[in-house]
Amino acid sequence: MASCTVSILFPLIVAMSAAEPPGCKIRITNRGLEMLKYETQKFVVEELSNITMPEMKGNEGRFEYTINEVKINELNLTYADLAFQPGLGLLFEVQNSSIALSFQRRILYWFFYDTGAINASAEGVNIHTVLHMTKDELGRLKISNVTCDASIRKMKMKFTGTLGRVYDFLATFLTTGMRFLLNQQICPAMNHAGLVLINSLLETIPVRTEVDKYVGIDYSLLSDPVVTSRSLDMDFRGMFFELGNENNTLVNYAVNPIVREYDRMVYLGLSEYFFDSGLYSYYKAGIFQMNIANERMPKDLEMLLRTTYFGTIMMMNPALVEYPISLQLELNSAPKTTIKTSGATVAVTAIVTVMVLPPGTAPVQLSSMTLEAKFNAKVSMKGKRLAVLADLRRFKIFSNQSALESLALIPLQGPLKTMLQISVVPIINNWTKGGVSIPLADGLDFIEEVVEYHNGYLIIGANLHFSKGLREMIEKKIQGDAENTI
């Protein structure tokens, strides 16, 4: 029995200990919430201003009344705060604020019929709203629940018109009803704002999307966000994949990025795996192949190659001497990223084949050599797109056939390195300069970025900037959804 229990528990223990580390991590700090608070206040004011209230009808003694066309003219948030609610999500709190309203009245008193406006104010408005944040089944951040508590301490009304003073005794009765109705409308408005509108904005954060025609990226959350009093931390898969074979992905054995700082509004942590999975996916897609020939071949390099392999050509076929020479580069394994405190590098190993190109017939191979290169990789951020700029750092070639040929290749080291720097590196940088979008809502951008390198990962600290207002961001998403359904 004991052995049976062990056999059942052991796979579970192994699975728990082998939890997938994140390739990408994001921390939003209290400073980030301070910037979000102003936009949130504007958004809440707009939402509460759109509250609609039902028509009130009734009678009191000799009075018959109807009140309709309720309008909220002004919402004065005396105190409003946006904060992290540890273990849950975000807290938005309003205290001791006021709402100015106006209604239309129709009142029948004996034989007198009167219409006009009623100005009212709700005072001592308190709203306590918590947005519960989780990951959904797709790995997307979402508001799963909203808990709301609202109260109004008192309401005042002021009648105008011929019988204004006569109606004053109705104020107590009407304000009690209006306070109840208004209070009943606040939390549904806050629930709709969180569960519908904010969630529609969160849907603009990429989860699994195409980067280009070769690869895509998976930004699904690995677990529910961790909320403390100082930050909201999110662990994303951060994995690239080949579009032609989405199941052929690189296993993540990299270290977990550790974010220790709280000084900036947001921090982005990227492990070596984030970059390696991208390089692996491009390698599997066959991107890292190149043929340098004809107009792409530098003339001085072609002359040097022709001189180096002149004897080989003459032994094979003297008629080949005048034909163009080409270099075919093909990686024999995926590039490997290394991140240390000194910076990031990418190691590349490739097979370089020297060919003669007789017109009308198949190319003739002169030699095959191994190229080993290491590139410095400078990581930068613009808006919410991450880009990498490569620069050749170290380079060497050696023969796959003999040590003697390796010695003969020594004169080619310098020209080939120059060729890579001039011809190949710009092509690589052209692929990467467009960058890849990080998992941030549409309308939010990084500014004032600082990149710090650690052993196995890097951290980008930045501040946030609203390129659009919160309302504009949400309306754009809703409009886009509507257009897609047409």
Side-chain angles (χ1 to χ4, degrees):
M1 182 67 180
S3 62
C4 180
T5 303
V6 170
S7 65
I8 294 174
L9 291 178
F10 181 75
L12 295 176
I13 295 172
V14 171
M16 292 174 63
S17 62
E20 180 181 355
C24 171
K25 175 176 288 188
I26 289 182
R27 165 173 289 177
I28 299 177
T29 68
N30 276 326
R31 286 199 60 201
L33 279 194
E34 282 296 318
M35 190 274 301
L36 292 170
K37 183 167 70 174
Y38 174 69
E39 285 292 330
T40 304
Q41 288 180 14
K42 287 199 306 180
F43 176 67
V44 169
V45 167
E46 291 167 353
E47 282 301 295
L48 295 182
S49 297
N50 293 327
I51 285 178
T52 58
M53 295 178 60
E55 185 178 73
M56 288 181 61
K57 289 185 176 181
N59 58 75
E60 181 70 14
R62 300 287 184 177
F63 288 91
E64 294 182 13
Y65 62 87
T66 300
I67 292 179
N68 56 18
E69 297 182 26
V70 180
K71 294 181 180 178
I72 295 180
N73 301 321
E74 184 180 359
L75 182 60
N76 181 22
L77 299 185
T78 305
Y79 172 85
D81 191 29
L82 181 67
F84 292 116
Q85 186 74 11
L88 295 177
L90 297 178
L91 165 67
F92 182 75
E93 192 171 24
V94 173
Q95 294 181 13
N96 198 30
S97 298
S98 62
I99 301 175
L101 309 96
S102 63
F103 324 134
Q104 290 297 317
R105 71 172 186 268
R106 293 197 302 270
I107 298 178
L108 178 63
Y109 176 67
W110 289 91
F111 301 108
F112 296 97
Y113 181 74
D114 188 38
T115 62
I118 304 174
N119 294 319
S121 63
E123 299 178 358
V125 178
N126 297 306
I127 307 172
H128 185 94
T129 304
V130 178
L131 306 178
H132 300 248
M133 308 189 77
T134 59
K135 79 175 184 74
D136 65 11
E137 63 278 2
L138 297 176
R140 186 188 303 278
L141 180 68
K142 69 173 292 185
I143 307 298
S144 61
N145 188 29
V146 176
T147 55
C148 175
D149 180 54
S151 63
I152 300 173
R153 188 174 69 250
K154 63 180 179 179
M155 178 172 279
K156 295 180 180 180
M157 287 187 180
K158 182 178 181 181
F159 288 84
T160 60
T162 306
L163 301 177
R165 293 187 178 182
V166 178
Y167 302 148
D168 281 346
F169 82 95
L170 281 175
T172 301
F173 174 77
L174 293 178
T175 53
T176 300
M178 291 303 300
R179 184 178 67 174
F180 174 79
L181 288 176
L182 179 60
N183 191 56
Q184 291 295 103
Q185 300 301 314
I186 291 176
C187 281
M190 298 298 289
N191 289 343
H192 178 265
L195 296 176
V196 177
L197 300 181
I198 298 299
N199 273 338
S200 71
L201 178 61
L202 293 177
E203 288 176 2
T204 66
I205 299 175
V207 173
R208 191 173 177 90
T209 184
E210 293 183 5
V211 175
D212 53 31
K213 63 182 180 180
Y214 303 107
V215 305
I217 190 166
D218 186 337
Y219 277 131
S220 56
L221 281 169
L222 297 176
S223 58
D224 288 339
V226 177
V227 186
T228 69
S229 61
R230 302 178 67 187
S231 67
L232 182 144
D233 291 326
M234 295 170 286
D235 288 350
F236 299 90
R237 178 163 284 115
M239 176 192 73
F240 290 83
F241 55 88
E242 181 194 354
L243 293 178
N245 187 1
E246 297 187 11
N247 294 322
N248 184 10
T249 57
L250 193 66
V251 179
N252 187 356
Y253 296 113
V255 299
N256 187 345
I258 300 174
V259 183
R260 295 186 173 90
E261 302 295 328
Y262 296 88
D263 295 335
R264 291 178 174 263
M265 294 181 182
V266 62
Y267 290 90
L268 173 69
L270 301 171
S271 75
E272 290 175 344
Y273 175 78
F274 178 86
F275 301 98
D276 280 345
S277 68
L279 293 169
Y280 177 83
S281 299
Y282 279 113
Y283 169 72
K284 287 297 182 180
I287 298 303
F288 298 123
Q289 300 180 26
M290 190 172 298
N291 185 22
I292 302 173
N294 300 319
E295 67 276 359
R296 297 181 62 184
M297 172 70 75
K299 296 304 179 183
D300 54 347
L301 177 60
E302 183 178 14
M303 181 61 68
L304 184 60
L305 288 170
R306 196 180 303 278
T307 302
T308 302
Y309 292 101
F310 180 79
T312 304
I313 296 174
M314 292 298 294
M315 291 178 63
M316 294 175 64
N317 186 350
L320 299 175
V321 171
E322 299 300 322
Y323 295 139
I325 292 180
S326 75
L327 288 177
Q328 293 183 356
L329 282 77
E330 183 175 358
L331 269 62
N332 55 6
S333 62
K336 180 69 179 70
T337 306
T338 301
I339 303 177
K340 296 183 177 180
T341 54
S342 56
T345 59
V346 178
V348 174
T349 302
I351 299 299
V352 180
T353 306
V354 184
M355 313 281 285
V356 176
L357 306 177
T361 62
V364 178
Q365 179 175 323
L366 298 178
S367 179
S368 177
M369 63 189 88
T370 297
L371 178 153
E372 292 181 353
K374 182 171 285 188
F375 297 85
N376 286 325
K378 184 179 180 181
V379 178
S380 62
M381 179 76 70
K382 185 175 182 180
K384 53 175 167 282
R385 299 197 69 83
L386 182 80
V388 179
L389 184 66
D391 182 56
L392 186 60
R393 178 181 174 186
R394 287 192 298 184
F395 170 88
K396 70 175 181 178
I397 54 172
F398 52 88
S399 173
N400 296 327
Q401 299 169 5
S402 68
L404 184 61
E405 186 177 20
S406 294
L407 290 174
L409 292 175
I410 291 177
L412 286 175
Q413 297 274 355
L416 281 177
K417 182 177 181 181
T418 301
M419 183 272 296
L420 279 177
Q421 190 72 54
I422 295 175
S423 301
V424 178
V425 173
I427 295 174
I428 295 174
N429 287 332
N430 189 54
W431 288 340
T432 61
K433 71 179 181 181
V436 60
S437 180
I438 61 168
L440 203 62
D442 185 27
L444 274 178
D445 294 324
F446 277 24
I447 58 172
E448 301 168 353
E449 311 87 0
V450 175
V451 182
E452 294 183 355
Y453 295 90
H454 302 265
N455 290 326
Y457 61 93
L458 60 85
I459 301 293
I460 302 176
N463 291 323
L464 291 171
H465 169 68
F466 270 105
S467 58
K468 305 171 187 173
L470 188 57
R471 171 68 58 182
E472 181 185 358
M473 293 158 60
I474 292 173
E475 289 181 350
K476 181 181 178 182
K477 173 61 170 61
I478 295 174
Q479 181 181 357
D481 291 343
E483 291 174 352
N484 291 334
T485 58
I486 297 176

